[in-house]
């Protein structure tokens, strides 16, 4: 990062600009929209662009930055870049920030480089702390269920992360309803509360409604949903073709094959409903996931300050009415845009 010698001072009115919601029955609160560093914060993007997005987010009251060990590319670079920006700009604000990371996906070769063993989970956490240059993270997640490791071993690693002071709260990601109940039970028996779940949820991926929302309510857990815009499918990005700089053109997460006539018909219908509300499709899609009381926060990505602002402006509109939700329903079809 270039040393610009411009000391960053956060906007003094930042906590007046966004609402915060309690995570389940815990003492933790999150902004209704949080910033994820899954894409756009690796070594393939200019560090000064990343820095501008993070500054703008905090100036608008976004206190929560979400990472994982494998975010990049390459894996680990998002944490390294975030650590550099944190040290340069946000050191004085560390106690105001919620920083999260995860372990579960592939990070290094050999039998201890992914999944849910105690060896991997705790080694990964230590590596994440080093990359970011912090003593602790606020939330540490197990990133995906491990079919071969006993759940009590994986949850025991999360418990150790909390009791050691390297994490303040324990979370899980990508667990289904029954797995969530079991994780909650096992952690509870260890004296550590399971506080938060991070599932994928959007108008075109509605698996969260298949029991998980009920489980969260039953267990009094909070959630922060990722991919609320379905990798850009729930924006106006593809309504008139595939831009050269889009994710579909890049082909890493979605491709042009996802942009079929069924998708376009549904997306254009949803866009018309959003326009009638005076919103962009992306803004309406964010309010749609936030309509559930179990959804504490929606996790967005951003490749520019302008894109960040557009997403955060979703919160300036009134909540969706029952009639609007009913109008959305025929077009919010699970599986839209997915290719097997």
């Amino acid at each position: 990062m270039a040393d610009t010698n411009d000391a960053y001072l956060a906007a003094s009115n930042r906590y007046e600009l966004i609402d915060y919601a309690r995570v389940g029955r815990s003492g933790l609160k999150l902004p209704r929209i949080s910033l994820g560093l899954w894409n756009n914060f690796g070594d393939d993007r200019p560090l000064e662009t990343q820095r501008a997005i993070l500054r703008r987010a905090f100036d608008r009251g976004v206190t929560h930055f979400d990472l994982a060990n494998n975010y990049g590319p390459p894996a680990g670079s998002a944490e390294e870049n975030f650590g550099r920006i944190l040290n340069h700009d946000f050191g004085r604000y560390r106690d105001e920030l919620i920083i999260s990371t995860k372990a579960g996906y592939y990070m290094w070769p050999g039998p201890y480089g992914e999944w849910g063993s105690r060896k991997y989970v705790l080694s990964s956490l230590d590596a994440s702390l080093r990359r970011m240059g912090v003593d602790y993270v606020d939330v540490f997640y197990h990133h995906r269920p491990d079919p071969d490791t006993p759940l009590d071993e994986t949850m025991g690693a999360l418990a150790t992360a909390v009791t050691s002071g390297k994490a303040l709260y324990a979370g899980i990601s990508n667990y289904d309803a029954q797995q969530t109940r079991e994780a909650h039970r096992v952690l509870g028996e260890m004296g550590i509360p399971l506080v938060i779940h991070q599932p994928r949820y959007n108008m075109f991926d509605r698996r969260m409604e298949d029991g998980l929302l009920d489980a969260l309510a039953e267990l009094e857990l909070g959630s922060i949903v990722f991919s609320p815009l379905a990798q850009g499918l729930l924006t106006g990005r593809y309504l008139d073709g595939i831009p050269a700089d889009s994710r579909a053109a890049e082909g890493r997460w979605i491709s042009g094959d996802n942009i079929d006539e069924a998708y376009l018909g549904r997306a254009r219908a949803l866009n018309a409903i959003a326009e009638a509300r005076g919103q962009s499709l992306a803004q309406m899609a964010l309010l749609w996931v936030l309509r559930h009381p179990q959804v504490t926060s929606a996790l967005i990505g951003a490749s520019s300050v302008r894109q960040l602002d557009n997403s955060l402006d979703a919160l300036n509109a009134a909540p969706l009415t029952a009639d609007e939700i009913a109008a959305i329903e025929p077009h919010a079809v699970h599986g839209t845009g997915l290719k097997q």
Side-chain angles (χ1 to χ4, degrees):
M1 178 186 298
D3 184 5
T4 57
N5 294 315
D6 53 337
Y8 168 63
L9 293 176
S12 60
N13 66 336
R14 59 191 178 278
Y15 293 117
E16 303 167 17
L17 302 177
I18 198 169
D19 290 331
Y20 300 85
R22 187 172 300 278
V23 181
R25 60 187 298 270
S26 74
L28 181 63
K29 292 183 177 181
L30 295 181
R32 293 293 274 156
I33 292 178
S34 300
L35 181 62
L37 279 65
W38 178 17
N39 293 295
N40 304 309
F41 290 85
D43 288 348
D44 58 337
R45 302 299 172 102
L47 199 63
E48 287 305 320
T49 301
Q50 300 177 33
R51 182 188 189 198
I53 294 168
L54 288 164
R55 282 184 168 196
R56 179 64 171 171
F58 192 56
D59 281 344
R60 292 196 58 170
V62 176
T63 54
H64 178 32
F65 301 133
D66 179 80
L67 299 105
N69 56 358
N70 63 329
Y71 289 177
S77 61
E79 289 183 329
E80 290 175 349
N81 291 334
F82 175 74
R84 295 171 69 184
I85 297 167
L86 177 68
N87 178 64
H88 190 281
D89 288 336
F90 296 104
R92 73 182 72 186
Y93 303 111
R94 175 63 185 96
D95 291 340
E96 300 179 38
L97 299 179
I98 300 298
I99 300 170
S100 62
T101 196
K102 314 175 195 72
Y105 284 95
Y106 179 85
M107 272 301 288
W108 58 82
Y112 318 118
E114 61 179 325
W115 292 108
S117 71
R118 181 177 181 86
K119 167 75 171 174
Y120 164 71
V121 171
L122 293 177
S123 295
S124 178
L125 175 57
D126 285 341
S128 290
L129 296 178
R130 287 194 297 270
R131 282 191 290 267
M132 290 188 283
V134 295
D135 297 324
Y136 70 96
V137 291
D138 298 273
V139 183
F140 184 47
Y141 294 90
H142 186 230
H143 209 164
R144 60 172 172 171
D146 183 344
D148 298 318
T149 299
L151 186 63
D152 59 352
E153 178 175 340
T154 304
M155 294 301 103
L158 290 185
T160 295
V162 173
T163 57
S164 68
K166 295 179 181 179
L168 301 187
Y169 298 95
I172 54 175
S173 182
N174 296 305
Y175 279 54
D176 66 22
Q178 186 54 37
Q179 292 164 336
T180 297
R181 289 187 175 92
E182 283 298 297
H184 178 271
R185 179 188 62 79
V186 171
L187 271 175
E189 291 173 354
M190 297 175 181
I192 300 297
L194 176 62
V195 171
I196 191 168
H197 192 307
Q198 187 174 136
R200 178 184 171 98
Y201 184 50
N202 58 64
M203 291 180 183
F204 295 156
D205 187 336
R206 302 184 63 166
R207 286 172 293 178
M208 190 178 182
E209 297 170 10
D210 187 20
L212 182 55
L213 281 169
D214 292 338
L216 295 175
E218 170 193 327
L219 301 172
E220 297 183 281
L221 301 183
S223 71
I224 177 169
V225 299
F226 73 89
S227 200
L229 305 183
Q231 298 291 335
L233 294 176
L234 286 165
T235 70
R237 192 82 159 129
Y238 302 112
L239 298 184
D240 299 306
I242 301 175
D245 61 346
S246 67
R247 290 189 185 183
E250 181 184 0
R252 183 150 59 112
W253 303 112
I254 62 172
S255 72
D257 292 339
N258 301 90
I259 316 301
D260 61 13
E261 288 304 313
Y263 157 73
L264 287 170
R266 291 165 185 163
R268 286 169 179 157
L270 291 168
N271 189 62
I273 298 170
E275 287 182 341
R277 285 177 50 84
Q279 285 191 302
S280 67
L281 174 54
Q283 290 168 343
M284 186 179 75
L286 289 168
L287 292 184
W288 187 85
V289 300
L290 289 170
R291 78 194 192 281
H292 295 291
Q294 300 94 319
V295 177
T296 312
S297 184
L299 191 58
I300 62 164
S303 60
S304 66
V305 169
R306 179 180 178 182
Q307 189 179 77
L308 171 75
D309 281 338
N310 180 265
S311 292
L312 293 177
D313 286 347
L315 300 176
N316 296 336
L320 293 165
T321 67
D323 286 345
E324 288 168 334
I325 293 170
I328 287 168
E329 186 67 19
H331 313 293
V333 179
H334 178 78
T336 299
L338 299 180
K339 300 297 178 185
Q340 304 300 325

PDB file of all heavy atoms in Angstrom, residues 103-104 108 111-124 142 144 146 148-150 153-158:
ATOM      1  N   ALA A 103     -12.996 -21.350   8.989  1.00  0.00           N
ATOM      2  CA  ALA A 103     -12.136 -22.441   8.564  1.00  0.00           C
ATOM      3  C   ALA A 103     -13.015 -23.614   8.180  1.00  0.00           C
ATOM      4  O   ALA A 103     -14.008 -23.894   8.851  1.00  0.00           O
ATOM      5  CB  ALA A 103     -11.177 -22.845   9.680  1.00  0.00           C
ATOM      6  N   GLY A 104     -12.658 -24.305   7.101  1.00  0.00           N
ATOM      7  CA  GLY A 104     -13.435 -25.456   6.670  1.00  0.00           C
ATOM      8  C   GLY A 104     -13.105 -25.908   5.261  1.00  0.00           C
ATOM      9  O   GLY A 104     -13.103 -27.099   4.964  1.00  0.00           O
ATOM     10  N   TRP A 108      -4.350 -25.910   2.579  1.00  0.00           N
ATOM     11  CA  TRP A 108      -2.998 -26.400   2.309  1.00  0.00           C
ATOM     12  C   TRP A 108      -3.044 -27.904   2.083  1.00  0.00           C
ATOM     13  O   TRP A 108      -4.015 -28.569   2.475  1.00  0.00           O
ATOM     14  CB  TRP A 108      -2.034 -26.020   3.436  1.00  0.00           C
ATOM     15  CG  TRP A 108      -2.405 -26.512   4.811  1.00  0.00           C
ATOM     16  CD1 TRP A 108      -2.180 -27.753   5.332  1.00  0.00           C
ATOM     17  CD2 TRP A 108      -3.044 -25.760   5.846  1.00  0.00           C
ATOM     18  NE1 TRP A 108      -2.642 -27.821   6.624  1.00  0.00           N
ATOM     19  CE2 TRP A 108      -3.174 -26.613   6.968  1.00  0.00           C
ATOM     20  CE3 TRP A 108      -3.523 -24.438   5.947  1.00  0.00           C
ATOM     21  CZ2 TRP A 108      -3.762 -26.199   8.160  1.00  0.00           C
ATOM     22  CZ3 TRP A 108      -4.104 -24.035   7.132  1.00  0.00           C
ATOM     23  CH2 TRP A 108      -4.220 -24.902   8.226  1.00  0.00           C
ATOM     24  N   PRO A 111      -3.577 -34.152   4.851  1.00  0.00           N
ATOM     25  CA  PRO A 111      -4.836 -34.512   5.519  1.00  0.00           C
ATOM     26  C   PRO A 111      -5.333 -33.490   6.527  1.00  0.00           C
ATOM     27  O   PRO A 111      -6.444 -33.640   7.041  1.00  0.00           O
ATOM     28  CB  PRO A 111      -4.489 -35.839   6.209  1.00  0.00           C
ATOM     29  CG  PRO A 111      -3.016 -35.768   6.437  1.00  0.00           C
ATOM     30  CD  PRO A 111      -2.456 -35.031   5.267  1.00  0.00           C
ATOM     31  N   TYR A 112      -4.531 -32.476   6.834  1.00  0.00           N
ATOM     32  CA  TYR A 112      -4.929 -31.494   7.864  1.00  0.00           C
ATOM     33  C   TYR A 112      -5.146 -30.101   7.280  1.00  0.00           C
ATOM     34  O   TYR A 112      -5.058 -29.109   7.992  1.00  0.00           O
ATOM     35  CB  TYR A 112      -3.868 -31.425   8.969  1.00  0.00           C
ATOM     36  CG  TYR A 112      -3.336 -32.775   9.383  1.00  0.00           C
ATOM     37  CD1 TYR A 112      -1.989 -33.089   9.224  1.00  0.00           C
ATOM     38  CD2 TYR A 112      -4.184 -33.744   9.907  1.00  0.00           C
ATOM     39  CE1 TYR A 112      -1.501 -34.333   9.577  1.00  0.00           C
ATOM     40  CE2 TYR A 112      -3.707 -34.992  10.263  1.00  0.00           C
ATOM     41  CZ  TYR A 112      -2.364 -35.282  10.087  1.00  0.00           C
ATOM     42  OH  TYR A 112      -1.884 -36.520  10.437  1.00  0.00           O
ATOM     43  N   GLY A 113      -5.425 -30.043   5.971  1.00  0.00           N
ATOM     44  CA  GLY A 113      -5.537 -28.742   5.321  1.00  0.00           C
ATOM     45  C   GLY A 113      -6.937 -28.307   4.982  1.00  0.00           C
ATOM     46  O   GLY A 113      -7.126 -27.275   4.319  1.00  0.00           O
ATOM     47  N   GLU A 114      -7.948 -29.058   5.422  1.00  0.00           N
ATOM     48  CA  GLU A 114      -9.341 -28.668   5.180  1.00  0.00           C
ATOM     49  C   GLU A 114     -10.264 -29.470   6.098  1.00  0.00           C
ATOM     50  O   GLU A 114      -9.840 -30.288   6.890  1.00  0.00           O
ATOM     51  CB  GLU A 114      -9.736 -28.884   3.715  1.00  0.00           C
ATOM     52  CG  GLU A 114      -9.654 -30.317   3.243  1.00  0.00           C
ATOM     53  CD  GLU A 114     -10.071 -30.476   1.793  1.00  0.00           C
ATOM     54  OE1 GLU A 114     -10.981 -29.749   1.332  1.00  0.00           O
ATOM     55  OE2 GLU A 114      -9.487 -31.342   1.103  1.00  0.00           O
ATOM     56  N   TRP A 115     -11.541 -29.214   6.009  1.00  0.00           N
ATOM     57  CA  TRP A 115     -12.622 -29.880   6.729  1.00  0.00           C
ATOM     58  C   TRP A 115     -12.730 -29.460   8.193  1.00  0.00           C
ATOM     59  O   TRP A 115     -12.770 -28.278   8.452  1.00  0.00           O
ATOM     60  CB  TRP A 115     -12.555 -31.402   6.559  1.00  0.00           C
ATOM     61  CG  TRP A 115     -12.858 -31.829   5.150  1.00  0.00           C
ATOM     62  CD1 TRP A 115     -11.968 -32.313   4.231  1.00  0.00           C
ATOM     63  CD2 TRP A 115     -14.119 -31.786   4.477  1.00  0.00           C
ATOM     64  NE1 TRP A 115     -12.604 -32.583   3.026  1.00  0.00           N
ATOM     65  CE2 TRP A 115     -13.914 -32.264   3.157  1.00  0.00           C
ATOM     66  CE3 TRP A 115     -15.408 -31.381   4.861  1.00  0.00           C
ATOM     67  CZ2 TRP A 115     -14.961 -32.362   2.231  1.00  0.00           C
ATOM     68  CZ3 TRP A 115     -16.448 -31.485   3.943  1.00  0.00           C
ATOM     69  CH2 TRP A 115     -16.216 -31.963   2.647  1.00  0.00           C
ATOM     70  N   GLY A 116     -12.756 -30.395   9.143  1.00  0.00           N
ATOM     71  CA  GLY A 116     -13.157 -30.001  10.494  1.00  0.00           C
ATOM     72  C   GLY A 116     -12.379 -30.618  11.633  1.00  0.00           C
ATOM     73  O   GLY A 116     -12.863 -30.612  12.771  1.00  0.00           O
ATOM     74  N   SER A 117     -11.193 -31.146  11.367  1.00  0.00           N
ATOM     75  CA  SER A 117     -10.410 -31.701  12.474  1.00  0.00           C
ATOM     76  C   SER A 117      -9.959 -30.582  13.416  1.00  0.00           C
ATOM     77  O   SER A 117      -9.806 -29.424  13.011  1.00  0.00           O
ATOM     78  CB  SER A 117      -9.184 -32.451  11.956  1.00  0.00           C
ATOM     79  OG  SER A 117      -8.229 -31.546  11.428  1.00  0.00           O
ATOM     80  N   ARG A 118      -9.756 -30.938  14.658  1.00  0.00           N
ATOM     81  CA  ARG A 118      -9.237 -29.977  15.633  1.00  0.00           C
ATOM     82  C   ARG A 118      -7.897 -29.404  15.161  1.00  0.00           C
ATOM     83  O   ARG A 118      -7.645 -28.201  15.280  1.00  0.00           O
ATOM     84  CB  ARG A 118      -9.092 -30.674  16.987  1.00  0.00           C
ATOM     85  CG  ARG A 118      -8.584 -29.773  18.100  1.00  0.00           C
ATOM     86  CD  ARG A 118      -8.533 -30.529  19.425  1.00  0.00           C
ATOM     87  NE  ARG A 118      -8.063 -29.657  20.488  1.00  0.00           N
ATOM     88  CZ  ARG A 118      -8.839 -28.847  21.195  1.00  0.00           C
ATOM     89  NH1 ARG A 118     -10.137 -28.797  20.932  1.00  0.00           N
ATOM     90  NH2 ARG A 118      -8.334 -28.095  22.138  1.00  0.00           N
ATOM     91  N   LYS A 119      -7.061 -30.281  14.614  1.00  0.00           N
ATOM     92  CA  LYS A 119      -5.754 -29.869  14.100  1.00  0.00           C
ATOM     93  C   LYS A 119      -5.902 -28.750  13.065  1.00  0.00           C
ATOM     94  O   LYS A 119      -5.236 -27.714  13.147  1.00  0.00           O
ATOM     95  CB  LYS A 119      -5.057 -31.083  13.482  1.00  0.00           C
ATOM     96  CG  LYS A 119      -3.843 -30.789  12.626  1.00  0.00           C
ATOM     97  CD  LYS A 119      -2.635 -30.433  13.434  1.00  0.00           C
ATOM     98  CE  LYS A 119      -1.384 -30.366  12.541  1.00  0.00           C
ATOM     99  NZ  LYS A 119      -0.211 -29.887  13.299  1.00  0.00           N
ATOM    100  N   TYR A 120      -6.793 -28.958  12.096  1.00  0.00           N
ATOM    101  CA  TYR A 120      -6.960 -27.973  11.031  1.00  0.00           C
ATOM    102  C   TYR A 120      -7.628 -26.693  11.517  1.00  0.00           C
ATOM    103  O   TYR A 120      -7.171 -25.585  11.227  1.00  0.00           O
ATOM    104  CB  TYR A 120      -7.772 -28.579   9.888  1.00  0.00           C
ATOM    105  CG  TYR A 120      -8.322 -27.559   8.912  1.00  0.00           C
ATOM    106  CD1 TYR A 120      -7.469 -26.874   8.045  1.00  0.00           C
ATOM    107  CD2 TYR A 120      -9.679 -27.263   8.867  1.00  0.00           C
ATOM    108  CE1 TYR A 120      -7.969 -25.935   7.150  1.00  0.00           C
ATOM    109  CE2 TYR A 120     -10.185 -26.328   7.975  1.00  0.00           C
ATOM    110  CZ  TYR A 120      -9.328 -25.661   7.120  1.00  0.00           C
ATOM    111  OH  TYR A 120      -9.819 -24.722   6.251  1.00  0.00           O
ATOM    112  N   VAL A 121      -8.725 -26.829  12.246  1.00  0.00           N
ATOM    113  CA  VAL A 121      -9.511 -25.659  12.624  1.00  0.00           C
ATOM    114  C   VAL A 121      -8.684 -24.681  13.456  1.00  0.00           C
ATOM    115  O   VAL A 121      -8.668 -23.465  13.192  1.00  0.00           O
ATOM    116  CB  VAL A 121     -10.785 -26.097  13.382  1.00  0.00           C
ATOM    117  CG1 VAL A 121     -11.497 -24.885  13.985  1.00  0.00           C
ATOM    118  CG2 VAL A 121     -11.727 -26.841  12.436  1.00  0.00           C
ATOM    119  N   LEU A 122      -7.964 -25.192  14.450  1.00  0.00           N
ATOM    120  CA  LEU A 122      -7.199 -24.293  15.325  1.00  0.00           C
ATOM    121  C   LEU A 122      -5.929 -23.787  14.651  1.00  0.00           C
ATOM    122  O   LEU A 122      -5.526 -22.637  14.859  1.00  0.00           O
ATOM    123  CB  LEU A 122      -6.884 -24.993  16.642  1.00  0.00           C
ATOM    124  CG  LEU A 122      -8.140 -25.264  17.497  1.00  0.00           C
ATOM    125  CD1 LEU A 122      -7.762 -26.027  18.764  1.00  0.00           C
ATOM    126  CD2 LEU A 122      -8.872 -23.973  17.842  1.00  0.00           C
ATOM    127  N   SER A 123      -5.301 -24.615  13.812  1.00  0.00           N
ATOM    128  CA  SER A 123      -4.142 -24.127  13.051  1.00  0.00           C
ATOM    129  C   SER A 123      -4.560 -23.020  12.092  1.00  0.00           C
ATOM    130  O   SER A 123      -3.851 -22.019  11.921  1.00  0.00           O
ATOM    131  CB  SER A 123      -3.497 -25.271  12.268  1.00  0.00           C
ATOM    132  OG  SER A 123      -2.964 -26.243  13.119  1.00  0.00           O
ATOM    133  N   SER A 124      -5.713 -23.202  11.475  1.00  0.00           N
ATOM    134  CA  SER A 124      -6.215 -22.191  10.541  1.00  0.00           C
ATOM    135  C   SER A 124      -6.503 -20.883  11.254  1.00  0.00           C
ATOM    136  O   SER A 124      -6.184 -19.803  10.733  1.00  0.00           O
ATOM    137  CB  SER A 124      -7.476 -22.700   9.848  1.00  0.00           C
ATOM    138  OG  SER A 124      -7.987 -21.715   8.978  1.00  0.00           O
ATOM    139  N   HIS A 142     -17.096 -22.389  11.847  1.00  0.00           N
ATOM    140  CA  HIS A 142     -16.757 -23.553  11.038  1.00  0.00           C
ATOM    141  C   HIS A 142     -17.522 -23.418   9.739  1.00  0.00           C
ATOM    142  O   HIS A 142     -18.746 -23.257   9.734  1.00  0.00           O
ATOM    143  CB  HIS A 142     -17.119 -24.863  11.737  1.00  0.00           C
ATOM    144  CG  HIS A 142     -16.633 -26.049  10.961  1.00  0.00           C
ATOM    145  ND1 HIS A 142     -17.433 -27.114  10.636  1.00  0.00           N
ATOM    146  CD2 HIS A 142     -15.411 -26.296  10.402  1.00  0.00           C
ATOM    147  CE1 HIS A 142     -16.729 -27.979   9.916  1.00  0.00           C
ATOM    148  NE2 HIS A 142     -15.504 -27.512   9.760  1.00  0.00           N
ATOM    149  N   ARG A 144     -18.087 -25.309   6.919  1.00  0.00           N
ATOM    150  CA  ARG A 144     -18.962 -26.314   6.300  1.00  0.00           C
ATOM    151  C   ARG A 144     -18.919 -27.586   7.133  1.00  0.00           C
ATOM    152  O   ARG A 144     -17.907 -27.900   7.763  1.00  0.00           O
ATOM    153  CB  ARG A 144     -18.524 -26.626   4.869  1.00  0.00           C
ATOM    154  CG  ARG A 144     -17.097 -27.178   4.760  1.00  0.00           C
ATOM    155  CD  ARG A 144     -16.782 -27.646   3.356  1.00  0.00           C
ATOM    156  NE  ARG A 144     -15.378 -28.000   3.203  1.00  0.00           N
ATOM    157  CZ  ARG A 144     -14.890 -28.606   2.114  1.00  0.00           C
ATOM    158  NH1 ARG A 144     -15.681 -28.928   1.119  1.00  0.00           N
ATOM    159  NH2 ARG A 144     -13.601 -28.880   2.024  1.00  0.00           N
ATOM    160  N   ASP A 146     -18.411 -31.345   8.245  1.00  0.00           N
ATOM    161  CA  ASP A 146     -17.440 -32.370   7.876  1.00  0.00           C
ATOM    162  C   ASP A 146     -18.097 -33.733   8.086  1.00  0.00           C
ATOM    163  O   ASP A 146     -18.397 -34.107   9.218  1.00  0.00           O
ATOM    164  CB  ASP A 146     -16.190 -32.244   8.745  1.00  0.00           C
ATOM    165  CG  ASP A 146     -15.103 -33.245   8.367  1.00  0.00           C
ATOM    166  OD1 ASP A 146     -15.396 -34.218   7.655  1.00  0.00           O
ATOM    167  OD2 ASP A 146     -13.951 -33.049   8.803  1.00  0.00           O
ATOM    168  N   ASP A 148     -16.908 -36.654   8.009  1.00  0.00           N
ATOM    169  CA  ASP A 148     -16.039 -37.709   8.534  1.00  0.00           C
ATOM    170  C   ASP A 148     -15.479 -37.436   9.924  1.00  0.00           C
ATOM    171  O   ASP A 148     -15.011 -38.362  10.589  1.00  0.00           O
ATOM    172  CB  ASP A 148     -14.872 -37.946   7.565  1.00  0.00           C
ATOM    173  CG  ASP A 148     -15.347 -38.411   6.196  1.00  0.00           C
ATOM    174  OD1 ASP A 148     -16.259 -39.264   6.157  1.00  0.00           O
ATOM    175  OD2 ASP A 148     -14.827 -37.927   5.182  1.00  0.00           O
ATOM    176  N   THR A 149     -15.494 -36.192  10.362  1.00  0.00           N
ATOM    177  CA  THR A 149     -14.966 -35.850  11.686  1.00  0.00           C
ATOM    178  C   THR A 149     -16.121 -35.766  12.681  1.00  0.00           C
ATOM    179  O   THR A 149     -17.141 -35.133  12.379  1.00  0.00           O
ATOM    180  CB  THR A 149     -14.215 -34.510  11.642  1.00  0.00           C
ATOM    181  OG1 THR A 149     -13.113 -34.624  10.733  1.00  0.00           O
ATOM    182  CG2 THR A 149     -13.693 -34.124  13.020  1.00  0.00           C
ATOM    183  N   PRO A 150     -15.984 -36.375  13.861  1.00  0.00           N
ATOM    184  CA  PRO A 150     -17.058 -36.263  14.852  1.00  0.00           C
ATOM    185  C   PRO A 150     -17.386 -34.806  15.147  1.00  0.00           C
ATOM    186  O   PRO A 150     -16.483 -33.970  15.281  1.00  0.00           O
ATOM    187  CB  PRO A 150     -16.483 -36.969  16.082  1.00  0.00           C
ATOM    188  CG  PRO A 150     -15.463 -37.917  15.529  1.00  0.00           C
ATOM    189  CD  PRO A 150     -14.873 -37.224  14.342  1.00  0.00           C
ATOM    190  N   GLU A 153     -15.678 -33.085  18.027  1.00  0.00           N
ATOM    191  CA  GLU A 153     -14.298 -32.635  17.829  1.00  0.00           C
ATOM    192  C   GLU A 153     -14.269 -31.248  17.189  1.00  0.00           C
ATOM    193  O   GLU A 153     -13.531 -30.357  17.639  1.00  0.00           O
ATOM    194  CB  GLU A 153     -13.532 -33.619  16.952  1.00  0.00           C
ATOM    195  CG  GLU A 153     -12.096 -33.165  16.676  1.00  0.00           C
ATOM    196  CD  GLU A 153     -11.273 -34.177  15.896  1.00  0.00           C
ATOM    197  OE1 GLU A 153     -11.647 -35.373  15.886  1.00  0.00           O
ATOM    198  OE2 GLU A 153     -10.248 -33.770  15.315  1.00  0.00           O
ATOM    199  N   THR A 154     -15.081 -31.060  16.144  1.00  0.00           N
ATOM    200  CA  THR A 154     -15.104 -29.761  15.475  1.00  0.00           C
ATOM    201  C   THR A 154     -15.645 -28.679  16.394  1.00  0.00           C
ATOM    202  O   THR A 154     -15.076 -27.581  16.491  1.00  0.00           O
ATOM    203  CB  THR A 154     -15.954 -29.839  14.196  1.00  0.00           C
ATOM    204  OG1 THR A 154     -15.453 -30.883  13.359  1.00  0.00           O
ATOM    205  CG2 THR A 154     -15.902 -28.527  13.443  1.00  0.00           C
ATOM    206  N   MET A 155     -16.745 -28.964  17.067  1.00  0.00           N
ATOM    207  CA  MET A 155     -17.305 -27.977  17.985  1.00  0.00           C
ATOM    208  C   MET A 155     -16.369 -27.747  19.174  1.00  0.00           C
ATOM    209  O   MET A 155     -16.288 -26.631  19.706  1.00  0.00           O
ATOM    210  CB  MET A 155     -18.685 -28.416  18.472  1.00  0.00           C
ATOM    211  CG  MET A 155     -19.746 -28.472  17.383  1.00  0.00           C
ATOM    212  SD  MET A 155     -20.026 -26.891  16.517  1.00  0.00           S
ATOM    213  CE  MET A 155     -19.146 -27.195  14.954  1.00  0.00           C
ATOM    214  N   GLY A 156     -15.649 -28.788  19.576  1.00  0.00           N
ATOM    215  CA  GLY A 156     -14.654 -28.608  20.634  1.00  0.00           C
ATOM    216  C   GLY A 156     -13.549 -27.647  20.233  1.00  0.00           C
ATOM    217  O   GLY A 156     -13.049 -26.876  21.057  1.00  0.00           O
ATOM    218  N   ALA A 157     -13.193 -27.667  18.951  1.00  0.00           N
ATOM    219  CA  ALA A 157     -12.195 -26.707  18.466  1.00  0.00           C
ATOM    220  C   ALA A 157     -12.743 -25.290  18.528  1.00  0.00           C
ATOM    221  O   ALA A 157     -12.026 -24.352  18.917  1.00  0.00           O
ATOM    222  CB  ALA A 157     -11.778 -27.061  17.041  1.00  0.00           C
ATOM    223  N   LEU A 158     -14.018 -25.100  18.170  1.00  0.00           N
ATOM    224  CA  LEU A 158     -14.624 -23.774  18.301  1.00  0.00           C
ATOM    225  C   LEU A 158     -14.662 -23.343  19.763  1.00  0.00           C
ATOM    226  O   LEU A 158     -14.396 -22.174  20.090  1.00  0.00           O
ATOM    227  CB  LEU A 158     -16.049 -23.771  17.732  1.00  0.00           C
ATOM    228  CG  LEU A 158     -16.226 -23.896  16.222  1.00  0.00           C
ATOM    229  CD1 LEU A 158     -17.701 -23.747  15.869  1.00  0.00           C
ATOM    230  CD2 LEU A 158     -15.401 -22.870  15.463  1.00  0.00           C
TER     231      LEU A 158
END
